[in-house]
Amino acid sequence: MLSSKFINFMKAINSGRLEKLSCVVELGRVGVRMAEEYSTRFDLLDVEQCLYLSEFQTPQLEKAEKHLLNLVKKNDPLFSLLEYYDNYPYSYSDINYFFKGCLKSGVEISIKAVNPSARNSYFKKVKKLEKSLRYQKFLRPWLNEKYQVEEVLKDLEEHSIQKFNLVNEIKFTKSMTDYLEEYKDVKFLKRIKFPKVYTYLSSEEKVACEYIYGSYFYELLQYNRLAYKDVLDLIRAQLFFILKVGIFHNNLHSGNLILSDEGNIYFLDCNSLGVLKTQTREGLFKILKFTLKEEFKEVAITLNEISEKKFTIEEIETLAKKIEDIYSINYTTNNTFIRKLMEIFKVANNFGIVYDKDIFSAFKSFIYLDKMVNKTKDKNSIFKDDLLRVLDEIEEFIKSSNN
């Protein structure tokens, strides 16, 4: 049954019909994860398909009701240090549940606990799909030849192992907090925070961190209370980490961001980090700026610089013309800057440009941030101009720090 649902999803991709892609939810959590993996693979899918698949999120799946005492053993040392705790979760994320508690010291904490049965079930399904693929790729060679399913499933498993081990969240949250401390003098990072993690109370199965009073971004978006200026501050911070640091939170969504009562923006669930090589992030920075300025030959030259395969001057001229043609198209849906940027990368890929795989993680952030811009931007704001100013600010800091 799982195998047939998987083949139906791949056939839906191959058909090119967006409405058929909704069958991905029949695969449950694995399907949503597959949608996430394919949502940035403009090298394999049409950009319209990528953007459609990026809409699927694990919170849309039905959750089994779990209590804290179902997930954390009663003899865990954590309970001896708690003054009180809520046995019912106040939120959930993927296979994890969040509970509020208070330490005997008076510090209020959030306890994130993993659902081991859901985690084990998930990995069993992944293994079952991998086993099925060994048979299916002989019957349907296009699965690997056209869509590199074997590679995508392998990436999915590796990313999931990283995300579902809460030790990584402890480690990665500390890393990002250390980077914030290193760049504490950067003005546009002042509002950005990561919650304090209580390592001595945490483990592979649970994470205890400070409880943040505020509103999740999905709540603010639902009631039209998320301000465009807050989204721009988020974009400044995320692009700084992507383009300057080269290490960034790689699990952004509206359930992982909180606007605190003090006006700070908290990044939660830092269980996955994206990493860009120096050549990739520097090239990506230039491509963003040249595209915004509509300097298409410079875009083509930079794409050639970050490509594993190099092209002649004549070929670069041809690519520049193709990019200009793509940029001039007014798409009927998702006619945004990031949509056009993805189309440019798609055209370059079809032309023969070969990218390092790490670039896809950056586009995952780009797509999410672009969606928030569309939901919050007022009619008088021009995002292209605002984004260019953001890049100028980051570039100014980079130049000053290099002097």
Side-chain angles (χ1 to χ4, degrees), residues 18-274:
L18 293 182
E19 69 277 7
K20 287 191 172 185
L21 292 177
S22 60
C23 71
V24 70
V25 296
E26 295 176 7
L27 282 163
R29 187 172 285 106
V30 173
V32 175
R33 288 287 186 189
M34 283 198 71
E36 182 181 300
E37 291 294 326
Y38 273 116
S39 67
T40 59
R41 294 302 298 265
F42 47 77
D43 60 326
L44 304 176
L45 276 59
D46 293 335
V47 171
E48 195 71 44
Q49 289 178 308
C50 290
L51 295 174
Y52 186 88
L53 290 173
S54 71
E55 296 291 338
F56 293 96
Q57 299 288 335
T58 47
Q60 296 168 338
L61 301 176
E62 185 177 346
K63 301 290 290 187
E65 184 174 307
K66 291 290 182 181
H67 300 160
L68 181 60
L69 292 175
N70 296 140
L71 304 176
V72 180
K73 294 178 180 179
K74 293 181 181 180
N75 61 354
D76 191 289
L78 169 68
F79 291 112
S80 65
L81 297 172
L82 289 173
E83 182 68 29
Y84 66 82
Y85 61 89
D86 293 335
N87 198 32
Y88 293 87
Y90 67 83
S91 184
Y92 60 83
S93 172
D94 210 354
I95 64 166
N96 305 303
Y97 293 78
F98 297 83
F99 305 86
K100 186 180 178 183
C102 183
L103 298 175
K104 290 179 179 178
S105 62
V107 175
E108 291 182 302
I109 64 171
S110 174
I111 305 163
K112 175 180 178 179
V114 67
N115 180 352
S117 60
R119 178 184 59 194
N120 295 340
S121 174
Y122 171 85
F123 282 114
K124 283 180 182 178
K125 289 181 179 179
V126 172
K127 289 297 184 183
K128 190 174 180 179
L129 283 182
E130 290 175 341
K131 185 177 180 180
S132 171
L133 182 60
R134 297 184 194 126
Y135 171 73
Q136 293 291 345
K137 67 182 181 182
F138 292 106
L139 294 178
R140 300 175 174 88
W142 54 270
L143 287 172
N144 256 349
E145 292 171 0
K146 193 173 181 181
Y147 299 111
Q148 298 181 24
V149 177
E150 202 165 30
E151 175 190 314
V152 171
L153 277 177
K154 182 180 178 183
D155 289 344
L156 180 150
E157 184 176 20
E158 290 178 356
H159 295 161
S160 298
I161 289 172
Q162 185 183 74
K163 285 183 178 181
F164 292 169
N165 185 341
L166 297 188
V167 169
N168 288 325
E169 181 170 341
I170 300 167
K171 180 173 62 176
F172 296 157
T173 301
K174 183 181 185 307
S175 294
M176 296 305 291
T177 303
D178 289 344
Y179 280 120
L180 274 180
E181 177 62 24
E182 181 180 347
Y183 296 108
K184 61 184 178 182
D185 295 331
V186 181
K187 290 182 179 179
F188 53 78
L189 293 181
K190 296 295 185 184
R191 298 181 66 195
I192 305 303
K193 308 288 182 183
F194 288 85
K196 178 181 178 181
V197 174
Y198 297 95
T199 307
Y200 69 99
L201 297 175
S202 304
S203 66
E204 184 179 340
E205 303 293 332
K206 67 182 188 304
V207 172
C209 66
E210 64 175 314
Y211 183 85
I212 309 299
Y213 279 94
S215 300
Y216 284 95
F217 272 39
Y218 71 81
E219 297 172 319
L220 297 170
L221 287 169
Q222 183 179 355
Y223 297 104
N224 296 317
R225 289 170 46 212
L226 185 62
Y228 178 54
K229 64 179 181 64
D230 292 328
V231 175
L232 285 180
D233 280 349
L234 174 64
I235 289 172
R236 282 187 183 91
Q238 188 69 352
L239 287 185
F240 179 84
F241 281 106
I242 291 174
L243 302 174
K244 160 60 180 169
V245 181
I247 298 173
F248 55 95
H249 190 303
N250 193 31
N251 192 23
L252 280 192
H253 60 72
S254 57
N256 280 351
L257 294 161
I258 284 184
L259 183 63
S260 75
D261 290 347
E262 293 79 22
N264 295 318
I265 298 173
Y266 276 83
F267 286 66
L268 310 180
D269 279 18
C270 189
N271 48 28
S272 177
L273 292 183

Side-chain angles (χ1 to χ4, degrees), residues 308-346:
E308 296 175 11
K309 177 183 177 181
K310 303 302 179 184
F311 294 89
T312 65
I313 295 175
E314 292 77 14
E315 289 172 323
I316 291 173
E317 293 279 0
T318 302
L319 176 59
K321 182 62 173 64
K322 288 180 180 292
I323 291 172
E324 184 175 2
D325 292 341
I326 282 293
Y327 197 80
S328 65
I329 297 174
N330 286 319
Y331 299 97
T332 54
T333 58
N334 296 311
N335 190 33
T336 65
F337 171 72
I338 297 303
R339 163 65 189 267
K340 290 189 174 184
L341 186 68
M342 289 181 73
E343 291 286 359
I344 288 171
F345 271 78
K346 175 73 176 179

